[in-house]
Amino acid sequence: MSNIKEKNIRLALLGAPNCGKTSLFNALTGGRAKVANYPGVTVEYRKGEFSLPNNNPVELLDLPGVYGDCGHSMDEKVAIDAVRGNLVGERSPDGLIFMMDASHINTHLHNVLQAKSYGLPIILVLNMMDIAARDGIEINIPKLESLLGISIISCVAVRNKGRVHLLEFLNEWTAKLFDGSASIPNKENNSLKDLQLKSRQITNTTVRQLGIAPTITQKIDNIVLHPLLGIIFLSGLLIFMFQAVYWWAAPFMDGIDLIFSKLQFIVDSNLPNTWLKSLISDGIIAGVGSVIIFLPQIIILFAFILLLEASGYMTRAAFLVDSLMAKVGLNGRAFIPLLSSFACAIPGIMASRTIEQEKDRLTTILIAPLMTCSARWPVYIMIIGAFIPDINIGFLGLQGLVAFSLVLGGIVFAMIMAFIFKRTLMNNAKSILLIELPSYKLPVIKDYFIGLWDRALIFINRAGRIILPASIIIWFLASYPTKSNGIVGTFAGKIGSLIEPILRPIGFNLEIAISLIPGMAAREVVVGALATIYSLDSEALDGPLKETLQNSWSLPTALSFLVWFVFAPQCLSTLAIMRKETNSWKWPLFAFFYLFTLAYLMAGITYQIAVHLGL
Amino acid sequence: MTLDQLSCNQKAKITGFDPLFLELETRLREIGFSEGDEVTVLHFGPIGKNPMSIKLNGALIALRKNEAKYIFVKLL
């Protein structure tokens, strides 16, 4: 740590989930943040800097939402360790900004009393005064200040007025923090029960609840939490969301595809025919393009997820499906991340952050790749089209039924694995649901776009950081030492022949073994890889891939290949994002291992059964 | 009587917590449950009438019956 850093005043934002900390953080720092997290733990916090009106720089920590100081979950432990200065490489803050939703003051005031015991100068920011007023809550702030013994700043969703007010206050306060004259509150040495008693006494004399009419939030809840209407609304919303992910993204994905083909064309026609041209065109552009093409889907998906989260609806969705998730030991919070994984496991894994309990979050991350992502569809469509007859069984088409059972298979195994993981790896950690349903509110546009931008950057950076070197390596493996007799003579071909004996019992041939190597960039690349391998190696150069496959694969091989893709462990982008979200290679390696084992076993069983049935 | 036994729109006062589950009691207290607080049951989940949403002071809280059964209440 440099000396200049030592001189910065460091403040930490503390408060319950959904009280508006992130909004305040963005308002102060402009959203420029460094995200920090810990090895093996899916907890993160944000660090940012801003200058006060007097030009003093301030470092601000945005900590995970916590209620008290007992550290029940990993998030709470991290937040409390950060405040106490127990985090490796982080000094303790000089002052605490405790933030509270003003409309919940009756419920949460004891958390402020708890926070006084950290022995740091502290101020209270009462946020969402407008919502409190809307709900008929009147707060006598001067009296509350004197009873609590700490300064209070009230604001309305951190909009400009509140922000200016807060900055003026921080100007003076940080000066006092700097010369050590800021007052440190008296410690509250009482039990939690006594603190609650004390806080109820304080609110009894300072907070007035006018009228008891149901709030707007309660009126909305009467519809969206209704056993029937609520489910209809949620289903409708999800159907709309997925239509949007597939339909709205399509033109953008075509556009990206076009741009990357154009780039390839430009490189191909302008560079001399050397290894460099092949590296740039076939390696980098094709490889990176195969991953970036999912960016539109990811952005649209997060546009919905962030909206659901910011409006307060997300917790309601969790409420509705909680019983379903409880059956496998998770809680309702895991639902949306798992659902998102049907578009792509990457946003699903990223969306797991909204799950409060660390063990549940980790379990969700591990099973997310089992949801049928959009990259599997090109594979399913090609193989089913080539091998499953287009006939009807009753009202249902056989091809559709096979596709459906592949999707269902993924879900069933995800549930089984969640059940197993919760009972083994997660030490039987009890899943409970104890969440606050926040008041409905309109998202702050700025926060919304900062959130969306963050997600896009995470995808491009983290997935991209792996995909670029991986594309180069894959290109190298598929081009050297010699490509004169097709891919068989390359390293990829050699690795393919090396692993082919291992894959033989599950019915895979040499071509499949080789195709799995370039397929590590993204699952759907396998289709292109097979086309390349066959057109280079077989006589059927101009025959469509479908016919080639029909002629060279048996039905058991095709079925085995389909089942392999239910588990498909070989997606590097997924493993890279797991590495990012868990900040350790332990979990992505474990995920690869368990998915590979399942893929191998289930594809093998499918193949052997199919062969014995004489298919 | 315990919180999980209440039906929709019933109001009750919290009288205490099951003393055998201290960690849960702390969690419940931290999120805002306390003796003397008034609770109103608002909604039940669609499957097996679980979880339940309640109004506690100014806040709305969702919890499962499995946890609610450790909160003692008196009907108002």
Side-chain angles (χ1 to χ4, degrees):
Chain A
M1 222 177 289
S2 72
N3 281 330
I4 300 159
K5 273 272 185 285
E6 286 288 347
K7 283 179 187 164
N8 278 4
I9 289 291
R10 169 178 277 211
L11 301 175
L13 269 171
L14 205 59
N18 292 310
C19 68
K21 288 191 307 294
T22 301
S23 203
L24 178 69
F25 181 89
N26 288 341
L28 290 175
T29 63
R32 286 178 299 275
K34 226 177 81 185
V35 176
N37 58 11
Y38 296 93
V41 179
T42 62
V43 179
E44 60 167 31
Y45 61 88
R46 301 200 301 161
K47 260 197 283 193
E49 276 172 38
F50 66 96
S51 292
L52 289 168
N54 63 14
N55 288 327
N56 279 343
V58 173
E59 223 186 342
L60 190 63
L61 300 184
D62 182 13
L63 301 175
V66 295
Y67 290 103
D69 59 4
C70 294
H72 300 288
S73 68
M74 198 47 86
D75 299 67
E76 294 189 2
K77 280 194 191 97
V78 166
I80 292 156
D81 279 349
V83 170
R84 295 202 169 125
N86 292 341
L87 288 184
V88 182
E90 296 277 8
R91 72 188 172 93
S92 57
D94 304 300
L96 298 178
I97 301 177
F98 196 98
M99 198 153 184
M100 188 185 288
D101 178 343
S103 58
H104 292 174
I105 186 164
N106 283 325
T107 327
H108 292 328
L109 193 68
H110 61 281
N111 297 141
V112 184
L113 299 179
Q114 284 182 293
K116 282 169 77 178
S117 300
Y118 290 121
L120 292 170
I122 183 169
I123 57 167
L124 174 63
V125 173
L126 275 180
N127 194 26
M128 304 185 219
M129 289 298 279
D130 53 339
I131 292 178
R134 187 183 81 185
D135 293 351
I137 291 170
E138 256 181 21
I139 304 170
N140 182 341
I141 291 191
K143 193 166 178 191
L144 187 60
E145 272 186 325
S146 75
L147 287 174
L148 282 176
I150 53 182
S151 307
I152 297 175
I153 292 134
S154 55
C155 55
V156 174
V158 217
R159 294 214 181 90
N160 275 338
K161 222 170 128 192
R163 180 173 166 269
V164 170
H165 188 50
L166 179 63
L167 281 175
E168 277 167 10
F169 182 89
L170 289 179
N171 234 354
E172 283 178 38
W173 193 49
T174 50
K176 287 187 197 160
L177 290 175
F178 202 73
D179 62 29
S181 68
S183 67
I184 294 169
N186 298 323
K187 285 198 181 185
E188 301 278 350
N189 288 321
N190 294 314
S191 69
L192 185 53
K193 188 178 173 180
D194 293 336
L195 289 184
Q196 280 185 313
L197 204 66
K198 186 174 174 187
S199 81
R200 298 298 188 267
Q201 282 163 358
I202 295 174
T203 49
N204 279 345
T205 59
T206 54
V207 181
R208 272 208 312 158
Q209 172 82 54
L210 311 164
I212 41 155
T215 59
I216 294 170
T217 294
Q218 278 174 267
K219 283 178 192 158
I220 300 176
D221 273 350
N222 285 341
I223 298 165
V224 303
L225 291 187
H226 186 276
L228 183 65
L229 295 177
I231 292 286
I232 292 173
F233 180 77
L234 177 63
S235 315
L237 188 78
L238 295 177
I239 290 168
F240 179 71
M241 189 167 136
F242 271 82
Q243 291 293 320
V245 167
Y246 282 100
W247 291 109
W248 295 355
F252 295 103
M253 292 172 83
D254 291 344
I256 290 173
D257 198 26
L258 198 70
I259 291 170
F260 277 91
S261 325
K262 275 260 156 59
L263 277 175
Q264 267 184 312
F265 178 76
I266 293 168
V267 170
D268 285 346
S269 45
N270 288 307
L271 284 183
N273 209 0
T274 61
W275 63 271
L276 187 66
K277 181 181 101 174
S278 172
L279 168 66
I280 296 174
S281 171
D282 306 332
I284 296 172
I285 299 177
V288 172
S290 69
V291 175
I292 295 296
I293 196 157
F294 292 104
L295 187 61
Q297 284 192 335
I298 284 168
I299 290 180
I300 293 172
L301 202 59
F302 270 107
F304 281 99
I305 290 176
L306 292 174
L307 194 64
L308 297 184
E309 190 65 45
S311 63
Y313 181 75
M314 193 67 106
T315 51
R316 272 75 181 184
F319 179 88
L320 290 173
V321 298
D322 181 65
S323 289
L324 213 59
M325 307 304 295
K327 294 202 178 1
V328 293
L330 293 172
N331 78 35
R333 284 288 205 171
F335 181 67
I336 296 284
L338 289 177
L339 205 67
S340 309
S341 303
F342 279 95
C344 175
I346 294 169
I349 289 168
M350 282 158 62
S352 306
R353 282 182 206 178
T354 59
I355 303 168
E356 284 97 353
Q357 283 139 314
E358 218 256 336
K359 303 278 183 195
D360 282 13
R361 184 159 50 219
L362 205 47
T363 306
T364 310
I365 288 175
L366 288 175
I367 62 170
L370 285 169
M371 303 296 137
T372 305
C373 64
S374 53
R376 282 171 170 109
W377 285 110
V379 181
Y380 287 177
I381 289 166
M382 177 187 70
I383 305 292
I384 290 175
F387 289 94
I388 308 296
D390 187 10
I391 53 166
N392 279 0
I393 295 179
F395 296 104
L396 303 163
L398 183 60
Q399 292 186 333
L401 269 179
V402 171
F404 176 74
S405 36
L406 293 171
V407 174
L408 193 67
I411 298 173
V412 168
F413 271 93
M415 297 297 118
I416 294 172
M417 295 320 289
F419 189 84
I420 294 173
F421 290 155
K422 282 289 292 194
R423 267 150 201 81
T424 54
L425 292 173
M426 309 303 164
N427 306 323
N428 234 340
K430 201 166 159 245
S431 168
I432 76 166
L433 182 82
L434 185 60
I435 49 174
E436 224 173 306
L437 303 174
S439 307
Y440 289 105
K441 49 189 158 289
L442 289 172
V444 180
I445 303 294
K446 186 178 173 184
D447 298 337
Y448 182 72
F449 283 104
I450 288 174
L452 206 52
W453 178 243
D454 277 351
R455 299 313 194 282
L457 275 189
I458 287 172
F459 174 73
I460 294 169
N461 271 340
R462 302 294 167 158
R465 215 171 274 179
I466 286 277
I467 286 313
L468 184 62
S471 309
I472 295 172
I473 292 169
I474 290 165
W475 166 83
F476 178 78
L477 292 177
S479 311
Y480 288 93
T482 169
K483 222 175 158 181
S484 54
N485 53 348
I487 201 162
V488 179
T490 65
F491 289 121
K494 290 194 173 109
I495 296 171
S497 5
L498 215 63
I499 58 173
E500 189 263 341
I502 305 169
L503 297 174
R504 205 178 295 148
I506 66 170
F508 284 15
N509 53 33
L510 180 63
E511 288 82 1
I512 297 179
I514 298 173
S515 76
L516 292 178
I517 294 160
M520 296 191 73
R523 293 184 179 98
E524 89 286 3
V525 172
V526 164
V527 177
L530 280 172
T532 314
I533 295 164
Y534 278 106
S535 61
L536 282 169
D537 286 343
S538 70
E539 290 300 305
L541 258 172
D542 32 23
L545 183 60
K546 191 171 155 180
E547 277 172 38
T548 314
L549 291 182
Q550 282 169 339
N551 293 332
S552 48
W553 292 15
S554 67
L555 181 57
T557 293
L559 291 176
S560 167
F561 190 70
L562 283 174
V563 170
W564 173 274
F565 267 85
V566 169
F567 306 98
Q570 73 277 17
C571 176
L572 277 176
S573 318
T574 303
L575 298 175
I577 212 77
M578 272 187 195
R579 156 79 184 80
K580 200 267 157 193
E581 293 295 306
T582 63
N583 204 14
S584 139
W585 279 112
K586 177 175 146 194
W587 294 111
L589 285 175
F590 172 75
F592 179 78
F593 176 76
Y594 103 79
L595 287 169
F596 185 90
T597 309
L598 274 183
Y600 191 81
L601 282 176
M602 296 316 292
I605 291 170
T606 309
Y607 180 71
Q608 296 301 339
I609 290 176
V611 167
H612 284 93
L613 287 177
L615 292 174
Chain B
M1 190 171 200
T2 51
L3 180 61
D4 61 306
Q5 294 165 341
L6 299 182
S7 41
C8 249
N9 294 320
Q10 268 190 321
K11 259 187 198 168
K13 208 180 226 2
I14 297 175
T15 55
F17 302 88
D18 193 318
L20 292 176
F21 298 86
L22 275 180
E23 206 208 317
L24 181 67
E25 180 183 332
T26 312
R27 283 185 76 151
L28 291 168
R29 282 188 190 279
E30 285 191 337
I31 203 169
F33 289 89
S34 175
E35 288 90 351
D37 284 355
E38 211 178 286
V39 288
T40 312
V41 177
L42 297 178
H43 301 279
F44 287 103
I47 309 160
K49 293 194 94 183
N50 210 358
M52 61 200 295
S53 90
I54 58 155
K55 185 165 182 161
L56 171 73
N57 297 316
L60 300 173
I61 294 185
L63 77 166
R64 291 181 184 160
K65 287 183 175 171
N66 204 20
E67 275 76 48
K69 72 179 181 210
Y70 299 118
I71 302 171
F72 300 133
V73 295
K74 197 177 82 193
L75 269 184
L76 283 179

